[in-house]
Amino acid sequence: MKRKEFIQKSIGTGIFVGLSSYAFSSTIFTENTKHVTILHTNDVHSHIDPFPNDGGRNANKGGVSRRYSLIQQIRKENPNTLLLDAGDIFQGTPYFNFYGGELEFKLMSKLGYDAATIGNHDFDNGIDGLWAQMPNAQFKLLNANYDFSNTVLDGQIKPYEVFVKDDVRIGVFGLGIELEGLVNKKMYKETQYLDPVEIATDIVKKLKTEEKCDLVICLSHLGYQYEHDKIDDLKLAQQTQDIDLIIGGHTHTFLDEPTVVKNKINQDVLVNQVGWAGIYLGRIDFYLDKNTKTVKSASLGI
Amino acid sequence: MKYFSFFLFFLLFLNCKNPTTQESLQIIKKESKRIEISNKLVLNEETEAFIQPYRERITEEMNTKLSYTPKLLSKKDGKYNTPIGNMMADAVFEMANPIYKKRTGNTIDAVILNHGGIRAEINPGDITTKTAYEIMPFENEIVVVKLQAEQIQAMFDYLAQAKRAHPISNMQLVLSEDFKILAQSIAGKPVDKDSVYHIATSDYLQNGGDHMLFLTQPEKLTVLDYKLRNLLIDYFKKHPEINPEKDQRFIER
């Protein structure tokens, strides 16, 4: 409800454009057209089993093993698939209280996650608790705006990773929320929070120029939108450039479809988030080509 | 595929501003879908088998009987104090005191928790580990603050203004019909201006949660490294039956 109002308002101001307002047009694919599929979750919060069949709103939804079946189907369809998570992997069911995140990381590794970022709840057993579980993660934990130099995580968390799928260079970087006031300091210890917009600007520049990335994805645990001036995914999208997709978390926002935001040089940025607890899997497909030949008003080829 | 919530979109990208980037790949189309993880998807058997031993141990532990209560315990059951709230505050007083005494040589004078922190009811019958997880799903832990008499006064004023059944132990507060404080005491004695008091609470409240600001600037803060949930589990184990009552600790006269 809130979101609908937001989009209507935004269209009025011309800053954001609702996706549904786009006219359908078709694109001609050539034999050189590349196709990569991005799958994503956020705020799964240790929800390994589906919600119980108790008549509740989420009854029977979610569950890691079903998510795996779905991911396998999609990978069969397109092997050039990246699987990403936007943080808050930990905390929310006794699986975390009993095993400290061991099972969450082992299962994400089994499902073939490529990368995840760090959410505030991933510090719930302290920075040492997160560090202790890292050997169970066969995927990259990415964060660019926490300075871990004086902590056990020093040198363990990369700011970004470049993945190559179907010859497409995909740069993925992570951003985390300000921890002060949200997490007890004795949990995050000497972790220093750095400005997400400044860091994103530098990292994206590097990904575009040095790493020659064709696609740039931000895994963000900043939150979708705040009324006050606290940084969020929509503001981040507006204040930066060359980010193609922001996969968000923290606010447990259920978006039916990605929000399209104009960045500071008027490029479109997709901002997406799929609620929490592994109830949904988000899927975004990118088609890329050296050719930009297009034909308007042709029929859809899906 | 028909059960998937579906959305597709297409965007057209025309990049003509920089001729040198002509050779790089451009996005020519984007699509998106939000896919529900419903029970129509098959369980992946290998993954299920991997989870099973973890799940079994949790289920077994969660269903372990710790104690028993003959009646429903609900935080709605009282205006200024409730049986479940009294039980929780008394449990903190009883279980945290020996630890605090061993660590610091001091004893806890009183306990304050928050009404909103009681997250579930306890049904009549067996109390299990699961019960403790339900009433206290968060990782809050017990801290003890050393407070001056004026901070203690701020605490009583807060309780009188909040007019809520915030759980307390070893203190008493009596309000008039128009919410004036008629009587207040800690351990049965009036607040002494020259004394300091050791108050046990949760780290959440000590950090300013529920605007209990009188807890945020203590003369000394002691962290007991004892989670409230674990404290309740230990309390239930110690008492084979609990039957807390509403009493006179916080009332209106």
Side-chain angles (χ1 to χ4, degrees), chain A residues 22 49 62 65 68-69 91 94 97 99 102 110 186 255 258 279-281 283 285 287-289 302, chain B residues 11-12 23 26 28-35 37 42 44 46-48 54-55 62 139 141:
Chain A
Y22 268 82
D49 293 326
S65 114
Y68 192 26
S69 301
Q91 189 69 268
N97 306 108
Y99 306 110
E102 174 197 326
K110 218 174 172 52
K186 73 171 192 210
L255 296 178
I279 294 169
Y280 291 100
L281 180 73
R283 173 176 179 168
D285 288 87
Y287 296 85
L288 300 94
D289 207 318
I302 296 291
Chain B
L11 297 177
L12 202 65
E23 277 310 289
Q26 303 296 319
I28 56 170
K29 182 176 150 189
K30 311 174 199 179
E31 295 173 6
S32 87
K33 252 189 239 188
R34 187 178 83 167
I35 311 167
I37 309 300
V42 292
N44 178 283
E46 191 211 332
T47 311
E48 284 300 308
Y54 292 88
R55 185 185 286 144
M62 288 306 228
E139 303 305 300
E141 56 180 14

